[in-house]
């Protein structure tokens, strides 16, 4: 999560930090995310998805059903895969390359080198409120455009909405202290609720893919998780619509009004 926040922050620095420094950081954040991502996905799958699926299946099919037994076997396989993913994550964050990455990110945050042929840029190049409002407006517009597909959108469309909401939320957290606290708090709360609904939908949508990789696409546990995921997607539509309506009612805190 911290690396994802950093990646989002890097995107906000396009007008401040030299492009070559940002490109190096983007490359390294992608490496870190590719290494840590499987550990995160397996954590969600093992600690949240599988227990929820097993509870629902056991309630409907019974404790000793074939599907329940298959799900428990999948849980054991997931635990073994989690250990391997966790070891890879530890290797990543204890490596010299990761240390260089952290130092490079710190250096980019502390320096504002000029771009070739241009005057030096820095915090004084533009009023902080104006700079923040411009970037927040840009991200809010991207979320609004993505959300036009909310009513009829499938997995890919809602994934795009989730990414846009996440980027906007990170930006609001970076800049919130520049604006009135009460307005910022209300907006961020509504945005967080929206992101939670989108995240729950995404985790359910990802679950069949994880199950297929662990047990095979036609395994009983995978088929059960696919059915469970489809049911969750339908049930989440109402919560997502309500979260979006609540979010739309909250005024952007960076605008006067």
């Amino acid at each position: 999560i911290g690396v994802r926040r950093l990646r989002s922050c890097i995107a906000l620095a396009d007008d401040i930090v030299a492009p070559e420094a940002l490109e190096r950081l983007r490359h390294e954040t992608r490496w870190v995310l590719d290494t840590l991502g499987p550990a995160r996905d397996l954590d969600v799958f093992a600690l949240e998805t599988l227990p929820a699926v097993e509870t629902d299946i056991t309630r409907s099919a019974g404790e000793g059903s074939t599907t329940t037994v298959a799900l428990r076997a999948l849980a054991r396989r997931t635990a073994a895969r989690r250990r391997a993913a966790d070891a890879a994550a530890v290797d990543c964050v204890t490596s010299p390359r990761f240390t260089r990455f952290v130092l490079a990110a710190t250096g980019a945050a502390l320096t504002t080198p000029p771009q070739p042929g241009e005057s030096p840029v820095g915090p004084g190049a533009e009023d902080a409120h104006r700079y923040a409002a411009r970037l927040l407006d840009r991200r809010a517009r991207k979320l609004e455009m993505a959300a036009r597909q909310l009513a009829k959108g499938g997995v890919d469309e809602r994934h795009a909405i989730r990414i846009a909401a996440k980027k906007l939320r990170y930006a609001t957290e970076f800049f919130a202290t520049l604006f009135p606290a009460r307005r910022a708090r209300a907006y961020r709360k509504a945005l967080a609720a929206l992101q939670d609904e989108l995240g729950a939908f995404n985790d359910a949508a990802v679950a069949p893919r994880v199950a297929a990789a662990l047990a095979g696409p036609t395994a009983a546990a995978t088929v059960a998780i696919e059915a469970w995921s489809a049911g969750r997607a339908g049930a989440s539509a109402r919560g997502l619509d309500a979260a979006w309506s609540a979010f739309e009612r909250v005024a952007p805190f960076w605008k006067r009004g």
Side-chain angles (χ1 to χ4, degrees), residues 214-233:
L214 290 168
T218 60
T222 302
V223 173
I225 289 172
E226 287 175 345
W228 176 87
S229 177
R232 279 295 176 98

Side-chain angles (χ1 to χ4, degrees), residues 151-172:
K152 58 181 180 180
V155 173
D156 291 342
E157 289 79 12
R158 293 192 182 189
H159 177 69
I161 299 169
R162 184 180 69 88
I163 295 301
K166 179 179 68 174
K167 289 182 177 181
L168 176 58
R169 183 182 178 184
Y170 290 166
T172 63

Side-chain angles (χ1 to χ4, degrees), residues 70-153:
L71 286 170
R72 290 174 180 168
L74 177 57
R76 291 191 293 271
R77 185 173 299 182
T78 302
R81 189 68 63 88
R82 280 182 71 203
R83 288 192 291 272
D86 288 348
V90 171
D91 287 344
C92 172
V93 299
T94 56
S95 68
R97 182 177 177 180
F98 186 84
T99 300
R100 291 193 295 269
F101 160 65
V102 173
L103 292 174
T106 303
L110 295 176
T111 60
T112 54
Q115 301 181 31
E118 297 183 0
S119 300
V121 294
E126 183 178 5
D127 176 78
H129 289 80
R130 189 180 302 114
Y131 181 79
R134 177 166 58 83
L135 293 179
L136 289 167
D137 258 340
R138 183 191 306 168
R139 293 205 168 183
R141 285 196 301 271
K142 287 184 177 180
L143 174 57
E144 183 179 354
M145 291 177 62
R148 292 173 185 172
Q149 303 297 321
L150 182 60
K152 58 181 180 180

